[in-house]
Every structure is written in C-alpha cells, then in structure tokens.
Amino acid sequence: MDYNISFQISATGMSVEKLRMDVTAMNLANMHSTAASMDQLYKPMRVVSKAAPLTFSQQFGNLYAVASGGTQVAAMEQTSVAPRMVLEPGHPHADANGYVSYPGVNHTSEMVNMMAALRAYEANVVAMNAAKTMAARTLEIGGQ
C-alpha cells in the first residue's frame, strides 16, 4: 500500500494553514501602523485556498484515488476594509481635522482566524500521524 498520498494531502493542508497563520500574524503586527498617505497605509491580507487536484501520475497509478490531492493557495488578497480613523491631533500623520488613519484590522476576526488555522493545522498533523501509524502497523503485520 502507498501512504504517500495521505502524507502529501496532510502536508499541503499544514502548508496552507501555516501561511494563514503567518498572514494573520502580519495583520496583527501592522494593526497600529500609520502612514503619511492613504496609499501607503497597510491593507489587511487574507489567504484564499482551493482544492488541489491529483497529478496525472497519481491518478493513473491509483485507480482508487480520491477526487482531491489536498489543498493549495489560490491567492493572497488585500481586503477592501475601510481604515480605522482615530482622533489624535498631535500625531505626525494626522490630517487637517486631527484624525489618524490606521489599518482596518479587526482584532477579534484575526484572533478567530488564528484559532481556526491552529485547529486545522493540528487536525492535519493528527491525520498524518494516523497514516504513519497505519503504515507502521502494516509493516508489523507483514513481518510476522
């Protein structure tokens, strides 16, 4: 039996969730950054993923193969969220009315994204460990 497909599917899932965690950390890190103009202001990012199909060789070699070969990043997009305006008249980046533009990062939403990415990463680790255990048990049974 070939367990490589199971390992590859879990590995692609872990890779996407790691990127999602990195983007969330980047959004949170830039939450309080300002810029002299609206064009230079940090725009929150998000990861868009999609199912990754199996390669031709995987489909040809495995007639029983599943319809998907894991997941992959489709795009990293800037969100179109309005900036957060805060009244700080003494700030160097304040406009004529005394308002400073901060990125429109929603702290609560980012924390929920982080927890979801963490749980999905953990689920992929568990799936990979289950496949590894199954492969090891197969070798034990075959060796008797």
Side-chain angles (χ1 to χ4, degrees):
M1 297 187 99
D2 185 15
Y3 290 95
N4 286 333
I5 293 174
S6 298
F7 296 144
Q8 288 173 357
I9 291 171
S10 294
T12 60
M14 288 188 290
S15 175
V16 168
E17 297 308 328
K18 167 74 169 70
L19 180 62
R20 194 179 316 270
M21 182 72 77
D22 291 344
V23 168
T24 299
M26 186 171 51
N27 288 342
L28 289 171
N30 287 295
M31 186 174 175
H32 298 292
S33 63
T34 63
S37 71
M38 292 295 276
D39 295 335
Q40 296 173 342
L41 189 63
Y42 176 78
K43 292 175 182 57
M45 304 286 290
R46 71 176 180 166
V47 176
V48 178
S49 59
K50 66 177 184 176
L54 292 173
T55 63
F56 176 75
S57 62
Q58 289 171 331
Q59 290 178 0
F60 185 73
N62 299 304
L63 298 177
Y64 58 87
V66 294
S68 174
T71 186
Q72 64 187 20
V73 174
M76 281 185 51
E77 301 177 339
Q78 290 183 347
T79 58
S80 59
V81 178
R84 185 171 43 98
M85 304 301 285
V86 178
L87 180 63
E88 292 182 24
H91 195 283
H93 294 146
D95 63 8
N97 297 327
Y99 284 94
V100 179
S101 299
Y102 287 98
V105 176
N106 183 341
H107 184 266
T108 305
S109 174
E110 294 298 329
M111 294 303 289
V112 169
N113 287 340
M114 182 175 64
M115 293 302 297
L118 176 65
R119 296 295 179 244
Y121 189 91
E122 288 173 349
N124 280 299
V125 169
V126 169
M128 184 175 278
N129 284 336
K132 183 178 79 170
T133 302
M134 287 171 51
R137 297 294 276 163
T138 302
L139 292 174
E140 287 175 14
I141 291 170
Q144 294 178 350

